[in-house]
Amino acid sequence: ELKVEQNPLFLSMQEGKNYTIYCNYSTTSDRLYWYRQDPGKSLESLFVLLSNGAVKQEGRLMASLDTKARLSTLHITAAVHDLSATYFCAVNAGGTSYGKLTFGQGTILTVHP
Amino acid sequence: EAGVTQSPTHLIKTRGQQATLRCSPISGHTSVYWYQQALGLGLQFLLWYDEGEERNRGNFPPRFSGRQFPNYSSELNVNALELEDSALYLCASIVYRGMNTEAFFGQGTRLTVV
């Protein structure tokens, strides 16, 4: 059974600081996703990571994937209040069921002035 | 292109009743995935429909069921509602972009069972 674990589950940051969210998964997967969710809202796709060593960046967020370690990271640079949200990583178990994802527990990020 | 649309946005039902939730995938896309996001339980895969057939289901009781119509829209039915069925139900559609194929989610239906 595929398991996905994120840490930390809660993250309180000051504006301007850097931090990293970690996502570990238990079995081989051919793709890993990062999503953002604002309170009461749906999931917004941030990144799709496919191969070992993949790195993608968008604004203050950078995601990486190490398939050998079964680890993905979401790095936040110089946090701003607008980044406050819940962040999920999700893993697809492979095959053709691209939408069958196993999600991590989510990391609730709060950025303080 | 239009995204994934779900209706209704909010739904309040009484314990024991039935709820019907609807989803329209991205135009032309044949697969629909349903997820439940219940407080404290995270996001859990519920059902997958493709080409009108149920392809896979998560660890949910049979009172969670659904169907997919010829136009690829889908319904999720929850029978004999229980209080713990209160959750945000999300529907996802797959955007095929070769290696960058990914799932996009609708805005969700907030089901409250009282």
Side-chain angles (χ1 to χ4, degrees), chain A residues 31 33 35 37 39-43 45-48 50 56 88 96-105, chain B residues 33 35 37 42-45 48 56-57 88 90 94 96 98-108 110:
Chain A
R31 58 189 65 225
Y33 302 86
Y35 288 92
Q37 187 178 38
K41 304 293 185 181
S42 188
L43 299 172
S45 178
L46 294 175
F47 301 108
V48 182
L50 300 170
K56 290 192 175 180
F88 292 93
T96 58
S97 57
Y98 293 105
K100 185 180 177 184
L101 304 175
T102 299
F103 283 84
Q105 311 96 309
Chain B
Y33 297 78
Y35 285 83
Q37 187 176 27
L43 277 148
Q44 298 185 78
F45 167 74
W48 170 28
N56 207 331
R57 67 182 293 129
L88 180 67
L90 294 169
I94 304 303
Y96 294 97
M99 293 294 286
N100 289 316
T101 294
E102 61 179 302
F104 285 89
F105 287 81
Q107 78 279 20
R110 173 76 61 186

Side-chain angles (χ1 to χ4, degrees), chain A residues 4-53:
Chain A
V4 182
E5 291 189 353
Q6 287 180 235
N7 73 85
L9 301 183
F10 300 92
L11 181 52
S12 181
M13 298 176 63
Q14 273 192 308
E15 281 188 332
K17 299 292 187 181
N18 304 331
Y19 211 85
T20 300
I21 299 171
Y22 298 88
C23 174
N24 289 91
Y25 54 98
S26 61
T27 61
T28 303
S29 173
D30 60 359
R31 58 189 65 225
L32 185 141
Y33 302 86
W34 284 97
Y35 288 92
R36 168 183 170 143
Q37 187 178 38
D38 292 297
K41 304 293 185 181
S42 188
L43 299 172
E44 174 191 352
S45 178
L46 294 175
F47 301 108
V48 182
L49 301 170
L50 300 170
S51 58
N52 190 42

